[in-house]
Structure formats: structure tokens, C-alpha cells
Amino acid sequence: MPLQANLIFIILLFFGMALSGLIYLSTNQRSCSQELIEQVFATPAAKPNNLESQRSLRTSPGFQYKQPSLLAGRADVVSLSPWLAPIIWEGTFNPTLIDSIYKQHNISIATTVFALGKYTRFLKDLLESAEEHYFVGFRVHYYLFTDQPEAVPEVKMGENHRLTVRKVPSLDRWQDISMGRMEILEKLIANELMHEANYIFCLDVDTKFYGRWGSETLGNLVGVIHPWFFDYPRDSFTYERRPESKAFIAAGEGDYYYTAAAFGGTLEEIHRLTKTCREQLNADHENSIEAIWHEESHLNKYFLYNKPTKLLSPEYLWRDINISAGQIKIIRFSHVAKNNAEVRPNA
Ligand code: UD2
């Protein structure tokens, strides 16, 4: 072979090898990145779709429901906060429509209740009434914390509803039981619930359901307006007013007064809430101060600076089934009357 032909052959061979190398690299890289993408998407979701993060409110063609009106509605109450969070009252939502939207996502709702000492007597009514009215048709897992598991009554759970009982130590002060809930909830969420449930509600035990509490209550961060103060001016709210406490709220500040007897949201949001309240409660303890309404004062401080994305009207925690107010068209959930001196471990 003449020298020139040799040279051409070597150059061609070199380009050929370089080209095949490039082709190999590019296909290999694509398959690597595909693998990576597949790994990311193929990782099974630890929990079902969360509507709040997806913002998907899908319905199906042909689904019939009452036409919504832009002109007629509740005129006697406000159903939107100044930061545009809906305030849920009877007549502001269509239960069939909202259930059908949330049912498409296989969501589950963790629900916590504490019953220590003589408060176990409230469990039967609360659980039996919840089984009649609370997220019927949805997946619900109650977590019940008590110092006497043997005192938990047998209550027949509806379809997809279940109950887990957890033993906790007894405490001598009712205030410590009430405040201590924040730390237990914080740990429960971080250690167990984060990947097991989509939403959580935390309820007082001296309560009972009388009407529907369903998917209209779901949201990122959900506060319930306290029934005693819903028509009070903000400076009459029983916020903590001593600047030495971490729960302090200055005069002239405040939106609503929220109850600690019911609050909820996504696991992420309620983890942040319970962690913050626990830290603030600890800081107060170190400074030998206890907020006027215990963790409820800290919750109100939290909600002032971390606005709830949904508010539940006092229909969702009324003061007593026998007390009426014109704006309350339906009592869904209510505090039950109790003799504090008789049920509490201390005065
Ligand atoms: C208010 C709040 C409550 C809490 C408390 C703090 C309302 C309707 N409720 O209720 O959420 O913030 O003030 O001061 O605003 N518990 C026991 N065993 C006890 C004592 C308490 O299990 O011996 C638990 C139980 O779950 C009870 C909760 O702690 O529901 C709160 O205690 P409470 O109901 O006696 O407090 P109360 O009525 O002052």
C-alpha cells in the first residue's frame, strides 16, 4: 500500500473509532439519565396523592350537582378571611361535590385524641358519634393516648376506620396533660405519620359530633374559630398579654381567637405547628411562666403569624348543644358540659 493510502486509512480508522466512541457515550449517557429519572419516578409514593400540594380538584364528566351561584349565598356571615382563606359555614359548600373530588384520591386522615385520668369517660360518646359523622367513607386512623388502655370502650369502627391505643404516663396537673399534647403529637408525626397519612386533626376528648365533619375541612393549615369569642372585638380575646411569655400578643393585633380543641392540616404543617408550640412552651417553662390558656395561647400566637389556609366556623366546635346563635345553622361538633373540679386531677 502506498504511503498516502496508508495515511488515509489510518485517519479514517481514527475518525471511525472516535465516532463510534461518541455514539456509545451518548447512548450510554441517555440510558443512565433515563435510569435516574425512572428511579425518581418509580419510587413508590409513600402515601397517596396529596390534594393540597397537587392542587388538583378534578371531577368527572356527567357528574350532576346543584349549579353554584355567584349572587346568592350566606349573607349573614363572612366566608373569606382578609387573606382569602375560606371560612366554612353551612351553605358555603356542596358536600356531595367536595366528597366526590376528594374521594378520587385515596386520602387518609390521622386523628388524635387524649384521654387521661377521668377523661376516659368521654371516649364512648366521642368515638360513637365520630363513627356516625366524621369523614364517613374516608380512611381514618384514630390514635388514642391514655394512661388506662383498659378503660377504652369497645366501639365498632366503620369501613376503613381504625383505632390504635397508645399508653402514656399519668400526670398530676391537667394543664401539663393539655400542654404535653404538643410534644407527643410532634413526635408521632415525625416518627410515624409523615409517610402514613395525608392529613391530621387533633381533637379534645370532652366533645361529641352531632353533624357532618367531612372533606370540606381539609386544608394545609386548618384553624377552628373558638365558639365563645367569634363575635368579640380582638382586644377582648383571651390572648396571653404578658410580654414575658412567648405566647404574648400585643393589643391591637390578632385576627380571630382559635380553639385548641380542634386543629389540623397536612402532616408537614402540623409538625411545624406542634414543634413551634412545644419549643415556646419549653421556653416559657424555663422562664417560670405559664401562658393564660396554656397551649391554646401558643396556638393563637402561631396562627397569628402563620395564617391558616382554611378556617372552620364555630359549627365545628360549639360551646354546648343547648346554646343557640342565629348564625349557627348546624352544630357539627361540640364541647360537652363537664364539672372541671370533679374530672380534673387538680384544681
Ligand atoms: C380549653 C381548650 C383545650 C385546651 C385547654 C388548655 C377549648 C374548647 N378547649 O379546654 O383544647 O387548650 O383549654 O387550657 O377551648 N385532658 C385529659 N385528662 C385530664 C385533663 C385534660 O385527658 O385530666 C386532655 C383531654 O383531651 C382534654 C384536653 O386535655 O380534652 C384539654 O383539657 P380540658 O378539656 O380540661 O381543657 P378546657 O376545657 O379548659
Side-chain angles (χ1 to χ4, degrees), residues 116-119 171-175 177 340-347:
L116 284 81
K118 292 184 180 169
Y119 281 57
L171 292 169
D172 298 335
R173 292 180 75 234
W174 71 270
Q175 298 92 332
I177 296 174
N340 287 339
E342 196 261 322
V343 286
R344 288 174 170 166
N346 59 308

Side-chain angles (χ1 to χ4, degrees), residues 113-119 174 177-178 181 203-206 226 259-262 292-296 317 335 338 340 343-345:
V113 176
F114 287 71
L116 284 81
K118 292 184 180 169
Y119 281 57
W174 71 270
I177 296 174
S178 196
R181 294 183 292 178
L203 307 177
D204 267 14
V205 72
D206 49 331
H226 199 294
T259 177
I292 179 168
W293 286 107
H294 315 101
E295 83 293 347
E296 188 170 84
L317 183 80
H335 211 216
K338 68 180 189 294
N340 287 339
V343 286
R344 288 174 170 166

Side-chain angles (χ1 to χ4, degrees), residues 122 125-127 129-130 133 204-211 317 331-336:
F122 300 113
D125 268 4
L126 169 60
L127 292 172
S129 62
H133 302 291
D204 267 14
V205 72
D206 49 331
T207 51
K208 188 172 168 179
F209 288 91
Y210 296 91
L317 183 80
I331 296 171
R332 303 171 187 279
F333 186 53
S334 183
H335 211 216
V336 298

Side-chain angles (χ1 to χ4, degrees), residues 182 185-187 189-190 194 200 220-221 263 266-280 298-299 302-303 306-307 309:
M182 289 294 180
L185 293 174
E186 177 195 352
K187 287 189 179 142
I189 296 171
M194 206 59 109
I200 182 169
N220 273 324
L221 185 61
F263 58 90
T266 59
L267 279 295
E268 294 79 3
E269 288 290 348
I270 299 305
H271 183 255
R272 200 170 302 135
L273 179 157
T274 50
K275 180 174 185 289
T276 308
C277 288
R278 190 262 305 155
E279 287 168 353
Q280 308 285 58
H298 291 275
L299 181 79
Y302 187 87
F303 277 154
N306 303 270
K307 307 279 194 219
T309 60

Side-chain angles (χ1 to χ4, degrees), residues 99-346:
D99 275 356
S100 85
I101 291 171
Y102 279 84
K103 281 254 174 76
Q104 295 177 41
H105 304 260
N106 189 21
I107 56 164
S108 70
I109 303 112
T111 302
T112 61
V113 176
F114 287 71
L116 284 81
K118 292 184 180 169
Y119 281 57
T120 52
R121 69 175 62 166
F122 300 113
L123 278 170
K124 191 171 181 332
D125 268 4
L126 169 60
L127 292 172
E128 281 181 355
S129 62
E131 282 311 286
E132 229 177 291
H133 302 291
Y134 183 70
F135 284 107
V136 175
F138 287 85
R139 293 196 295 141
V140 171
H141 191 163
Y142 301 100
Y143 290 84
L144 171 54
F145 294 89
T146 180
D147 53 350
Q148 309 146 74
E150 65 286 356
V152 176
E154 243 187 59
V155 173
K156 192 175 172 327
M157 293 282 123
E159 205 188 337
N160 289 323
H161 285 206
R162 64 191 172 121
L163 176 91
T164 297
V165 178
R166 294 281 160 86
K167 187 162 184 182
V168 287
S170 308
L171 292 169
D172 298 335
R173 292 180 75 234
W174 71 270
Q175 298 92 332
D176 290 335
I177 296 174
S178 196
M179 292 187 288
R181 294 183 292 178
M182 289 294 180
E183 184 171 356
I184 295 175
L185 293 174
E186 177 195 352
K187 287 189 179 142
L188 175 77
I189 296 171
N191 298 339
E192 291 180 56
L193 299 190
M194 206 59 109
H195 302 292
E196 276 180 29
N198 302 94
Y199 298 95
I200 182 169
F201 275 102
C202 311
L203 307 177
D204 267 14
V205 72
D206 49 331
T207 51
K208 188 172 168 179
F209 288 91
Y210 296 91
R212 173 198 159 98
W213 178 315
S215 57
E216 74 281 3
T217 62
L218 296 172
N220 273 324
L221 185 61
V222 183
V224 182
I225 313 275
H226 199 294
W228 289 107
F229 307 106
F230 75 96
D231 49 357
Y232 277 37
R234 54 156 67 122
D235 286 338
S236 310
F237 292 161
T238 54
Y239 289 152
E240 174 54 61
R241 300 298 187 184
R242 292 167 296 171
E244 298 77 30
S245 168
K246 293 281 183 196
F248 169 68
I249 294 176
E253 284 194 64
D255 302 309
Y256 310 102
Y257 189 85
Y258 301 94
T259 177
F263 58 90
T266 59
L267 279 295
E268 294 79 3
E269 288 290 348
I270 299 305
H271 183 255
R272 200 170 302 135
L273 179 157
T274 50
K275 180 174 185 289
T276 308
C277 288
R278 190 262 305 155
E279 287 168 353
Q280 308 285 58
L281 284 158
N282 286 352
D284 270 11
H285 184 71
E286 275 161 29
N287 291 326
S288 308
I289 187 162
E290 195 166 88
I292 179 168
W293 286 107
H294 315 101
E295 83 293 347
E296 188 170 84
S297 306
H298 291 275
L299 181 79
N300 271 279
K301 174 88 175 238
Y302 187 87
F303 277 154
L304 175 56
Y305 301 115
N306 303 270
K307 307 279 194 219
T309 60
K310 188 172 272 187
L311 294 119
L312 306 184
S313 72
E315 293 169 8
Y316 290 85
L317 183 80
W318 193 236
R319 39 191 124 157
D320 186 320
I321 187 76
N322 296 316
I323 300 172
S324 61
Q327 302 87 349
I328 307 299
K329 308 283 179 216
I330 170 176
I331 296 171
R332 303 171 187 279
F333 186 53
S334 183
H335 211 216
V336 298
K338 68 180 189 294
N339 177 349
N340 287 339
E342 196 261 322
V343 286
R344 288 174 170 166
N346 59 308

Side-chain angles (χ1 to χ4, degrees), residues 17-68:
M17 281 168 68
L19 196 65
S20 51
L22 277 174
I23 290 169
Y24 172 81
L25 266 178
S26 79
T27 41
N28 213 32
Q29 263 179 357
R30 203 180 315 137
S31 70
C32 270
S33 59
Q34 241 166 24
E35 238 170 53
L36 262 182
I37 289 169
E38 270 158 21
Q39 267 179 15
V40 170
F41 286 108
T43 307
K47 51 187 174 177
N49 294 336
N50 185 334
L51 270 184
E52 301 314 311
S53 55
Q54 288 198 351
R55 309 243 176 264
S56 92
L57 300 171
R58 289 193 301 270
T59 56
S60 312
F63 181 67
Q64 300 290 310
Y65 55 91
K66 189 173 176 267
Q67 182 189 350

